[in-house]
Amino acid sequence: MRQHRCAAIAALVASASSASISRRATSLAEVCTVSNLQAVLPSNGTISGINTIPLLVTANAVYNSSSGSAGGVGMGSSGGTSTNYPYCNVTVTYTHPGKDDIVVIKYAFPQPSDFKNRFYVAGGGGYSLSSTATGGLQYGAVGGATSAGYDAFDNSYDDVVLTGNGSINWDATYMFGYQALGEMTVLGKALTSSFYALVSSAKVYTYYEGCSDGGREGMSQVQRWGEEYDGVIAGAPAFRYAQQQVNHVFSSMVEQTLDYYPPPCALAKIVNATIAACDPLDGRTDGVVSRTDLCMLNFNLSSIIGESYYCAAQESTSLGFGFSNGGPPTKRQVGGAQGSTSSYQPAQNGTVTTEDVTVAQAIYDGLHNSEGQRAYLSWQIASEFSDAGTTWNNATKSWELSIPSTGGEFVTKFVQLVNATNLSNLNNVAYDTLVEWMDIAYNRYLDSLQTTIPDLTTFQCSGGKLLHYHGESDPSVPAASSVHYWQSVQSIMYSNMSSNASLEALQNWYQLYLVPGAAHCGANSLQPGPYPQDNMNNMIDWVENGVKPSRLNATVSSGANAGETQMLCQWPTRPLWQTNNTDFDCVTDEASIDTWTYTFPAFKVPIY
Ligand SMILES: *[C@@H]1O[C@H](CO)[C@@H](O)[C@H](O)[C@H]1NC(C)=O
Ligand SMILES: *[C@@H]1O[C@H](CO)[C@@H](O)[C@H](O)[C@H]1NC(C)=O
Ligand SMILES: *[C@@H]1O[C@H](CO)[C@@H](O)[C@H](O)[C@H]1NC(C)=O
Ligand SMILES: *[C@@H]1O[C@H](CO)[C@@H](O)[C@H](O)[C@H]1NC(C)=O
Ligand SMILES: *[C@@H]1O[C@H](CO)[C@@H](O)[C@H](O)[C@H]1NC(C)=O
Ligand SMILES: *[C@@H]1O[C@H](CO)[C@@H](O)[C@H](O)[C@H]1NC(C)=O
Ligand SMILES: *[C@@H]1O[C@H](CO)[C@@H](O)[C@H](O)[C@H]1NC(C)=O
Ligand SMILES: *[C@@H]1O[C@H](CO)[C@@H](O)[C@H](O)[C@H]1NC(C)=O
Ligand SMILES: *[C@@H]1O[C@H](CO)[C@@H](O)[C@H](O)[C@H]1NC(C)=O
Ligand SMILES: *[C@@H]1O[C@H](CO)[C@@H](O)[C@H](O)[C@H]1NC(C)=O
Ligand SMILES: *[C@@H]1O[C@H](CO)[C@@H](O)[C@H](O)[C@H]1NC(C)=O
Ligand SMILES: CC(=O)N[C@H]1CO[C@H](CO)[C@@H](O)[C@@H]1O
């Protein structure tokens, strides 16, 4: 059955051919004109659902600008480069038939001599899609960025999700969820073929790269537009949206339930002490907990009780989105209300208490309902407690609840449908309420934002390759969230195979890598470990040259081992230093894998 479906899909997808490019010798100035772009614009009826508006096409050649960072600070896309890439700066406007909406797409076409038959899509982050189209120029790829019909270059999606209290903007929701990027790619590939006058069978290798919501956006494309993409790189995807977003309230809920609001310095000390204790378990003491699973199995947080901590007074700036490194993200990058806020903290000098450890343990244990059934997974032990920050009340001289606006805004706007950027308190809220909020959001956004469809047959059968990575100490999107999706895809797509056979079949096109010590879409200042920086080159090699990775190249950028290359282990193998080499071995360890395996009986439906 699968074979038949695969053959049918493969037949629909144009096969690669050696492209003859007649425009190779043409200059940028010659092709980059409004009249040429109007001439090559797909006419109405060519692409179902998209009516282009020739009168609104713009085009100008750009010679001296650099290829910008694709997805913004810390989003894990390729960094900017100082090289100049001449390109044709194009805007195309289209409407959905009968809707009279306006979607503007920016495209950047490399000059003909640089073009390498590639199309490149970069992801955004928070509640934003990428707003730059130039990220692909360094790869000889056409790139795009879309206004998504809600002026996404200037608006964050969470600012437009409600048209008023109680009223969801579904057009914006579907466009942000997956549709805008898919349409940008379909239209962009057609334009690319005609702009460079490719023969009709010529392959345009199509890539996607993003992290955080950019990772979710990448998964949305794999799930919904699988036949369009050849290589997708998805980092720390903020998917399983209902659970992921409501879970940002969970740490506050733990504090309120236990009626204890820990000094931030105590939680920071617990993290540091956990890192120190668990670092050697992976076979090398290098400041990095490469095996949070061994930490979970062998380390008890209670042993930290009584250790002293000290943090100097500070006028601090806190970010709501769990970014530990890479500089503060802008409001656009993290979306909506996640901008920085400053607050005063007095000097904290004390010892870790039983209450501090009880809060920390409950957070790592994850959300359960009042019957003790698990509702969601949590951050790996040794991750920072980014959502658990309390605020100092100068008047009462005590620490108080502070709800992270990531979770608070999601609950108010997306669940309660009220135009407010944060919950004002958690009065009358219990763990069961969080489960109910997840349930409401799950049912409401299952076909738009949830982004966990586990059947990727279309993508796989049309030859797509998926590289999925996740910082193991991510304090925003739990690393186990990625493992759970990978397991869902394996069990749904290969239900009739033995686990060894299904593993081999899956790894031929979908590979998951956990990044030791890394935080959310970046290295972690508390654990100076490796981070993959060469993903696009690896992906291009896989897609265009058939070089399938088995481990993923990553580089240590700070600390004593700065400059070291570590070849990351492909899930489900786990790193273990067994010799004095500068690289770990990749071992199979069932007891460790079991710690990453979850079911969610608090929900009546399967949660993929
Ligand atoms: C295609 O349709 C749009 C609106 O539906 C219209 O503005 C545009 O002029 C049409 N294109 C052509 C070439 O007629
Ligand atoms: C690209 O085109 C748009 C629309 O005409 C324009 O606003 C923008 O400044 C152009 N960018 C460059 C770098 O020329
Ligand atoms: C939501 O609230 C913001 C800030 O108060 C306001 O600017 C915006 O217009 C409101 N949106 C709607 C749809 O009411
Ligand atoms: C935790 O460790 C980091 C450096 O790794 C240090 O900057 C910070 O002050 C420590 N925090 C506490 C509370 O010990
Ligand atoms: C950790 O140690 C405490 C105190 O000895 C004990 O009560 C608790 O059950 C232990 N936790 C685990 C997960 O073993
Ligand atoms: C913290 O408190 C302890 C005990 O009261 C004291 O000995 C120590 O000097 C204090 N440390 C700082 C940095 O204030
Ligand atoms: C709180 O008190 C401290 C010292 O007493 C002062 O420096 C700080 O500015 C105060 N912060 C606020 C927000 O009032
Ligand atoms: C709401 O979010 C803001 C910004 O992150 C934060 O400062 C504030 O403490 C939050 N409100 C509550 C009631 O926790
Ligand atoms: C929407 O709800 C919020 C929160 O209850 C309220 O502050 C605001 O006034 C309401 N907006 C309108 C237009 O009713
Ligand atoms: C690893 O990635 C770096 C860039 O971060 C690159 O310079 C190097 O050639 C790559 N090494 C291997 C073995 O792929
Ligand atoms: C690893 O290096 C340490 C310190 O240099 C040395 O004591 C130890 O014998 C070495 N182990 C192996 C297996 O080579
Ligand atoms: C300032 C600058 O570098 N200008 C250059 C921009 O590109 C054109 C075309 O290549 C050059 O002629 C300019 O000197």
Short mmCIF file of all heavy atoms in Angstrom, two decimals, residues 194-221:
data_model
loop_
_atom_site.label_atom_id
_atom_site.label_comp_id
_atom_site.label_asym_id
_atom_site.label_seq_id
_atom_site.Cartn_x
_atom_site.Cartn_y
_atom_site.Cartn_z
N SER A 194 11.07 30.38 -14.43
CA SER A 194 10.90 31.23 -15.61
C SER A 194 11.91 32.39 -15.61
O SER A 194 12.38 32.79 -16.66
CB SER A 194 9.46 31.74 -15.69
OG SER A 194 9.04 32.28 -14.46
N PHE A 195 12.28 32.88 -14.43
CA PHE A 195 13.24 33.99 -14.36
C PHE A 195 14.57 33.58 -14.98
O PHE A 195 15.20 34.33 -15.73
CB PHE A 195 13.44 34.40 -12.91
CG PHE A 195 14.36 35.57 -12.69
CD1 PHE A 195 13.88 36.88 -12.74
CD2 PHE A 195 15.71 35.38 -12.43
CE1 PHE A 195 14.73 37.96 -12.54
CE2 PHE A 195 16.56 36.46 -12.22
CZ PHE A 195 16.07 37.76 -12.27
N TYR A 196 15.02 32.36 -14.67
CA TYR A 196 16.30 31.89 -15.21
C TYR A 196 16.12 31.07 -16.48
O TYR A 196 17.07 30.45 -16.97
CB TYR A 196 17.06 31.07 -14.17
CG TYR A 196 17.44 31.88 -12.94
CD1 TYR A 196 16.71 31.77 -11.76
CD2 TYR A 196 18.51 32.78 -12.97
CE1 TYR A 196 17.04 32.52 -10.64
CE2 TYR A 196 18.86 33.53 -11.86
CZ TYR A 196 18.11 33.40 -10.69
OH TYR A 196 18.44 34.14 -9.59
N ALA A 197 14.87 31.03 -16.99
CA ALA A 197 14.57 30.29 -18.22
C ALA A 197 15.06 28.85 -18.16
O ALA A 197 15.71 28.35 -19.08
CB ALA A 197 15.16 31.02 -19.44
N LEU A 198 14.78 28.18 -17.06
CA LEU A 198 15.16 26.77 -16.94
C LEU A 198 14.27 25.93 -17.84
O LEU A 198 13.11 26.27 -18.07
CB LEU A 198 14.98 26.29 -15.49
CG LEU A 198 15.69 27.08 -14.39
CD1 LEU A 198 15.50 26.38 -13.05
CD2 LEU A 198 17.18 27.21 -14.71
N VAL A 199 14.81 24.82 -18.32
CA VAL A 199 13.94 23.90 -19.04
C VAL A 199 12.91 23.37 -18.05
O VAL A 199 13.17 23.29 -16.84
CB VAL A 199 14.73 22.73 -19.69
CG1 VAL A 199 15.71 23.28 -20.71
CG2 VAL A 199 15.42 21.89 -18.64
N SER A 200 11.75 23.00 -18.54
CA SER A 200 10.63 22.75 -17.63
C SER A 200 10.90 21.59 -16.68
O SER A 200 10.34 21.53 -15.60
CB SER A 200 9.37 22.49 -18.43
OG SER A 200 9.54 21.33 -19.21
N SER A 201 11.77 20.66 -17.05
CA SER A 201 12.01 19.52 -16.16
C SER A 201 13.14 19.80 -15.16
O SER A 201 13.45 18.96 -14.33
CB SER A 201 12.39 18.29 -16.99
OG SER A 201 13.56 18.56 -17.72
N ALA A 202 13.74 20.98 -15.25
CA ALA A 202 14.90 21.25 -14.38
C ALA A 202 14.48 21.33 -12.93
O ALA A 202 13.49 21.97 -12.58
CB ALA A 202 15.58 22.54 -14.81
N LYS A 203 15.26 20.69 -12.10
CA LYS A 203 14.98 20.67 -10.67
C LYS A 203 15.41 21.99 -10.03
O LYS A 203 16.50 22.49 -10.29
CB LYS A 203 15.80 19.53 -10.07
CG LYS A 203 15.70 19.41 -8.58
CD LYS A 203 14.62 18.45 -8.20
CE LYS A 203 14.57 18.26 -6.70
NZ LYS A 203 13.29 17.65 -6.31
N VAL A 204 14.56 22.54 -9.18
CA VAL A 204 14.98 23.66 -8.33
C VAL A 204 15.05 23.09 -6.91
O VAL A 204 14.02 22.83 -6.29
CB VAL A 204 14.00 24.84 -8.40
CG1 VAL A 204 14.42 25.94 -7.42
CG2 VAL A 204 13.92 25.39 -9.82
N TYR A 205 16.27 22.81 -6.44
CA TYR A 205 16.44 22.24 -5.11
C TYR A 205 15.91 23.22 -4.07
O TYR A 205 16.32 24.38 -4.04
CB TYR A 205 17.91 21.94 -4.84
CG TYR A 205 18.46 20.87 -5.73
CD1 TYR A 205 19.35 21.19 -6.76
CD2 TYR A 205 18.09 19.54 -5.57
CE1 TYR A 205 19.86 20.22 -7.60
CE2 TYR A 205 18.59 18.55 -6.40
CZ TYR A 205 19.48 18.90 -7.42
OH TYR A 205 19.97 17.92 -8.24
N THR A 206 15.03 22.74 -3.22
CA THR A 206 14.32 23.66 -2.34
C THR A 206 14.60 23.32 -0.88
O THR A 206 14.38 22.19 -0.43
CB THR A 206 12.81 23.61 -2.64
OG1 THR A 206 12.64 23.92 -4.02
CG2 THR A 206 12.05 24.61 -1.80
N TYR A 207 15.11 24.33 -0.16
CA TYR A 207 15.58 24.15 1.21
C TYR A 207 14.80 25.04 2.17
O TYR A 207 14.33 26.12 1.82
CB TYR A 207 17.07 24.50 1.31
CG TYR A 207 17.93 23.61 0.47
CD1 TYR A 207 18.33 24.00 -0.82
CD2 TYR A 207 18.33 22.36 0.93
CE1 TYR A 207 19.10 23.17 -1.61
CE2 TYR A 207 19.11 21.52 0.15
CZ TYR A 207 19.49 21.93 -1.12
OH TYR A 207 20.25 21.09 -1.90
N TYR A 208 14.72 24.57 3.38
CA TYR A 208 14.13 25.36 4.46
C TYR A 208 15.06 25.27 5.65
O TYR A 208 15.61 24.20 5.96
CB TYR A 208 12.75 24.82 4.86
CG TYR A 208 12.18 25.62 6.00
CD1 TYR A 208 11.29 26.67 5.76
CD2 TYR A 208 12.60 25.41 7.31
CE1 TYR A 208 10.84 27.47 6.80
CE2 TYR A 208 12.17 26.20 8.35
CZ TYR A 208 11.29 27.22 8.09
OH TYR A 208 10.86 28.02 9.11
N GLU A 209 15.21 26.38 6.39
CA GLU A 209 16.08 26.37 7.57
C GLU A 209 15.52 27.34 8.61
O GLU A 209 15.25 28.50 8.31
CB GLU A 209 17.48 26.83 7.15
CG GLU A 209 18.50 26.81 8.26
CD GLU A 209 19.88 27.29 7.78
OE1 GLU A 209 19.95 28.07 6.82
OE2 GLU A 209 20.87 26.89 8.39
N GLY A 210 15.33 26.86 9.83
CA GLY A 210 14.85 27.75 10.89
C GLY A 210 14.89 27.08 12.25
O GLY A 210 15.05 25.85 12.36
N CYS A 211 14.74 27.87 13.30
CA CYS A 211 14.79 27.35 14.66
C CYS A 211 13.69 28.02 15.50
O CYS A 211 13.22 29.10 15.16
CB CYS A 211 16.17 27.63 15.28
SG CYS A 211 16.55 26.60 16.73
N SER A 212 13.28 27.37 16.59
CA SER A 212 12.24 27.88 17.47
C SER A 212 10.91 27.90 16.70
O SER A 212 10.54 26.87 16.14
CB SER A 212 12.61 29.28 17.98
OG SER A 212 11.76 29.67 19.02
N ASP A 213 10.19 29.02 16.62
CA ASP A 213 9.02 28.95 15.75
C ASP A 213 9.45 28.68 14.32
O ASP A 213 8.71 28.06 13.55
CB ASP A 213 8.12 30.18 15.82
CG ASP A 213 6.76 29.86 15.23
OD1 ASP A 213 5.97 29.17 15.89
OD2 ASP A 213 6.51 30.25 14.05
N GLY A 214 10.64 29.13 13.97
CA GLY A 214 11.17 28.78 12.65
C GLY A 214 11.28 27.28 12.46
O GLY A 214 11.12 26.76 11.35
N GLY A 215 11.57 26.54 13.52
CA GLY A 215 11.58 25.09 13.46
C GLY A 215 10.17 24.55 13.27
O GLY A 215 9.93 23.64 12.47
N ARG A 216 9.22 25.15 13.99
CA ARG A 216 7.81 24.75 13.80
C ARG A 216 7.36 25.04 12.37
O ARG A 216 6.71 24.21 11.72
CB ARG A 216 6.90 25.50 14.78
CG ARG A 216 5.42 25.04 14.70
CD ARG A 216 4.44 26.06 15.25
NE ARG A 216 4.45 27.31 14.50
CZ ARG A 216 3.86 27.50 13.33
NH1 ARG A 216 3.18 26.52 12.75
NH2 ARG A 216 3.95 28.67 12.71
N GLU A 217 7.74 26.23 11.87
CA GLU A 217 7.36 26.58 10.50
C GLU A 217 7.93 25.55 9.52
O GLU A 217 7.26 25.16 8.55
CB GLU A 217 7.86 27.99 10.17
CG GLU A 217 7.17 29.09 10.98
CD GLU A 217 7.99 30.38 11.07
OE1 GLU A 217 8.83 30.64 10.18
OE2 GLU A 217 7.80 31.14 12.06
N GLY A 218 9.16 25.11 9.76
CA GLY A 218 9.76 24.10 8.90
C GLY A 218 8.98 22.80 8.95
O GLY A 218 8.69 22.18 7.92
N MET A 219 8.59 22.38 10.16
CA MET A 219 7.78 21.17 10.29
C MET A 219 6.44 21.35 9.59
O MET A 219 5.90 20.41 9.00
CB MET A 219 7.58 20.82 11.76
CG MET A 219 8.85 20.31 12.45
SD MET A 219 9.44 18.78 11.68
CE MET A 219 10.74 18.33 12.84
N SER A 220 5.88 22.56 9.64
CA SER A 220 4.60 22.80 8.96
C SER A 220 4.75 22.57 7.45
O SER A 220 3.83 22.06 6.80
CB SER A 220 4.08 24.22 9.24
OG SER A 220 4.71 25.19 8.40
N GLN A 221 5.89 22.93 6.92
CA GLN A 221 6.10 22.75 5.48
C GLN A 221 6.29 21.28 5.14
O GLN A 221 5.78 20.79 4.14
CB GLN A 221 7.30 23.59 5.03
CG GLN A 221 7.12 25.08 5.27
CD GLN A 221 5.86 25.64 4.63
OE1 GLN A 221 5.78 25.81 3.41
NE2 GLN A 221 4.84 25.92 5.44
#
